[in-house]
Amino acid sequence: MIKFNFNGGNYELRNLPNELTITEFEHISSIINNGEMDYIDKYMTIFTYLGLSEDIIDDLDGAKFIQLTKEFSDYQYKAEFTNEIEIDGYKYVAYDGDEFLPKVKDLKFVEKYIKRNPNKYVANTMAVLFKRSDLTKVEHYDEAHIKYKSELFKDLDYSIALPYIAVILEKITINIKNIAENGEQTA
């Protein structure tokens, strides 16, 4: 949380993964990745989306605004893996054992969601990775079930998704690079 004083008022701006939902993070990502918006317009839009009034943003001087954009982006946060989530009495488990090692089938589905919408894939990724403990593999990968779970997960703290997204994106990037250079996949 960024706290700042301006014109005699105290303001807060949420920026940490545990302060944002998955939906909010995806929306912020879509703004940041919008190639048609200028830098200042992007951050004005993000700050308004997160609750700062347009009047406050408009009245900020350039140096204060740049400082806020820097603080918004430059934070230290250590995300821990959460292996199990319980929603509406159901357990959703991401992996067995002590370490998250994504399965090839999961990578395949996640890559498909990233290609469909590069700005809105986090909730779908979580829906693929977290499997309801009382269902079979066939049900886990059913498109309707993934869509249902995505709706359930979209309001979770982004901090739960962050470590998974980091690992998944690294695996997918490495695979794409290996395929491009060597024609092989390493999953």
Side-chain angles (χ1 to χ4, degrees):
M1 176 94 48
I2 301 167
K3 296 181 180 192
F4 66 99
N5 301 318
F6 180 71
N7 284 349
N10 297 318
Y11 301 97
E12 297 180 338
L13 186 61
R14 295 176 296 125
N15 72 320
L16 298 176
N18 65 336
E19 299 168 343
L20 301 170
T21 65
I22 289 172
T23 298
E24 289 171 328
F25 175 81
E26 288 179 331
H27 186 74
I28 291 166
S29 291
S30 69
I31 294 167
I32 288 173
N33 293 325
N34 184 335
E36 296 184 17
M37 293 176 79
D38 296 324
Y39 177 86
I40 291 173
D41 192 28
K42 288 179 185 186
Y43 281 93
M44 288 177 72
T45 304
I46 290 168
F47 294 167
T48 302
Y49 175 71
L50 292 175
L52 248 129
S53 79
E54 267 186 56
D55 291 339
I56 297 299
I57 296 168
D58 288 345
D59 289 343
L60 290 171
D61 63 71
K64 184 68 171 176
F65 183 79
I66 296 299
Q67 177 191 351
L68 286 175
T69 63
K70 184 173 172 25
E71 288 179 36
F72 184 82
S73 302
D74 294 343
Y75 58 83
Q76 297 294 318
Y77 188 84
K78 181 163 173 48
E80 304 275 332
F81 281 96
T82 301
N83 184 34
E84 187 177 297
I85 300 169
E86 186 170 329
I87 301 174
D88 297 335
Y90 292 104
K91 281 186 190 178
Y92 297 88
V93 180
Y95 59 92
D96 296 321
D98 298 330
E99 182 181 3
F100 173 61
L101 299 168
K103 308 286 188 240
V104 171
K105 189 167 188 172
D106 292 343
L107 291 172
K108 176 183 95 169
F109 273 82
V110 170
E111 188 174 16
K112 175 177 77 172
Y113 290 118
I114 292 171
K115 283 182 180 177
R116 274 190 196 164
N117 191 339
N119 295 315
K120 294 197 181 252
Y121 63 88
V122 177
N124 285 330
T125 297
M126 297 300 287
V128 168
L129 298 178
F130 280 83
K131 296 161 180 70
R132 209 168 93 182
S133 59
D134 64 328
L135 297 179
T136 67
K137 274 188 177 184
V138 171
E139 294 162 312
H140 290 310
Y141 295 104
D142 179 73
E143 190 75 30
H145 184 64
I146 290 172
K147 183 177 180 180
Y148 168 75
K149 287 191 300 181
S150 179
E151 284 296 311
L152 289 178
F153 296 162
K154 72 181 183 176
D155 294 324
L156 295 175
D157 285 357
Y158 179 66
S159 62
I160 295 170
L162 181 59
Y164 291 99
I165 296 303
V167 169
I168 290 292
L169 290 179
E170 177 185 30
K171 293 289 185 190
I172 289 173
T173 302
I174 288 170
N175 280 340
I176 290 170
K177 183 179 177 206
N178 282 337
I179 290 169
E181 292 175 359
N182 309 318
E184 58 189 56
Q185 188 169 336
T186 62

